[in-house]
Amino acid sequence: MSGSRVRPILGLSIVAVLLAVGRASGATPFESPEELLGDWYVLVHYRDPGAEDPEQLLWDDEIWRLAPRGGRLSWTLYPHVALHDDEGRFETLPSGVEARTTVPWSPSPSQLTEIRGALQLDDHESRTKSLRGSSQAGWRSAEATRAASASMIAYQESWSIRGPAGARELVRQVVFEGARTDRLEGRTVYTIRESRDGGDEWTGDYSRDGRQLGEFRMLRIQLPKGSSR
C-alpha cells in the first residue's frame, strides 16, 4: 500500500515474565506460562474519553511472540501488522494520507485465515524484553533506566505477567522523569478473562492509564514455513 500512514500510539506499559531460578547443580525446569507460549495476533477495541467523539469505538492491533530462551522468557512486540488483504483497516484522508479507519474494524473470514496461517512479521520498530521469575511470583523484566540530568529526561520501561492461567494480567509500563520536569507514567494492562478454541484464543479487558478502556482478543498464529522463531 503506497503513501504514508498515520498510526495512533498505544500507551507503553509493563510486560514482564519471570522464570525458574537455576540451581548450583544445574538449571531447574523452565516454569513458563505454557498456555501463552507462541505467536499471537492481538486486537484491541477501546474508547478514548479525550477523543472528539468519546463514544466512538477505536481499534489497534499488534503481534506478540512469547518463547523460552536461555532459562528465561523472551517477549517480542511487533507493533506493525501487515496484511495482504487490508480492506477496512485504512482509509484515504482528503489530504491523500492513509490513516487507520475510525470504525471498530475486525478481521473478515479471509483476513482471519491470513492471520491464523500466513501472517508475515514486520520487524520495523519491534522490541524484545527478557523476563524471569516463577509461576508463583509472576514474571517481570529488568528495569532499564537512563539516568536523568539537569538537561536530560530519564526513561524506564518494564513488562510483566502475573496471575494464574485464565486470569493473567499482562502489563507494560513506562516512566519519564527529569530534574526540570514532572514524573510521567504510562501503564497498559491486558487482563485475560476467557479462553476459547482450545486455548488458541484468549479474550479479556484492556486499560490504558485507566482512561482508555475496552476489550482485546489474542489469536494464536502459525507463521509460514521459513519464518524465524
Side-chain angles (χ1 to χ4, degrees), residues 40 116 194-197 199-203 217-219:
W40 300 89
R116 289 287 199 182
E194 184 179 358
S195 173
R196 303 174 182 172
D197 195 18
D200 285 342
E201 178 177 352
W202 298 82
T203 60
R217 297 172 64 193
M218 291 174 60
L219 304 176

Side-chain angles (χ1 to χ4, degrees), residues 13-205:
S13 35
I14 303 180
V15 180
V17 189
L18 314 175
L19 340 171
V21 179
R23 297 176 179 173
S25 60
T28 59
F30 178 72
E31 296 183 33
S32 63
E34 292 291 340
E35 72 283 355
L36 295 182
L37 294 182
D39 299 307
W40 300 89
Y41 170 77
V42 182
L43 174 65
V44 178
H45 288 124
Y46 66 99
R47 289 183 171 86
D48 183 354
E52 183 176 349
D53 181 2
E55 296 303 314
Q56 175 65 52
L57 196 61
L58 305 173
W59 69 276
D60 202 351
D61 58 1
E62 55 193 26
I63 295 172
W64 296 348
R65 169 171 290 175
L66 291 163
R69 181 175 299 171
R72 297 189 179 187
L73 184 65
S74 172
W75 187 346
T76 302
L77 167 64
Y78 300 89
H80 303 307
V81 178
L83 297 179
H84 293 295
D85 178 6
D86 245 352
E87 183 177 358
R89 289 169 52 81
F90 297 93
E91 60 185 354
T92 302
L93 302 179
S95 63
V97 175
E98 290 183 338
R100 189 183 303 278
T101 56
T102 55
V103 296
W105 174 83
S106 289
S108 66
S110 63
Q111 290 170 328
L112 189 60
T113 297
E114 181 180 350
I115 289 169
R116 289 287 199 182
L119 192 63
Q120 299 289 337
L121 294 181
D122 183 352
D123 289 326
H124 179 58
E125 295 183 339
S126 66
R127 58 190 190 275
T128 299
K129 289 284 188 179
S130 180
L131 312 165
R132 59 184 177 183
S134 70
S135 296
Q136 292 73 30
W139 299 266
R140 188 180 183 89
S141 66
E143 295 184 353
T145 304
R146 298 178 186 174
S149 67
S151 60
M152 298 182 64
I153 297 177
Y155 168 80
Q156 175 180 298
E157 182 177 353
S158 58
W159 298 1
S160 64
I161 297 177
R162 58 176 181 256
R168 293 193 185 276
E169 284 190 346
L170 299 93
V171 186
R172 298 202 301 267
Q173 182 167 318
V174 65
V175 176
F176 294 91
E177 59 183 340
R180 299 177 181 176
T181 62
D182 294 331
R183 178 184 174 96
L184 300 176
E185 295 187 17
R187 180 180 175 86
T188 305
V189 181
Y190 301 80
T191 304
I192 293 176
R193 299 295 186 191
E194 184 179 358
S195 173
R196 303 174 182 172
D197 195 18
D200 285 342
E201 178 177 352
W202 298 82
T203 60
D205 301 326

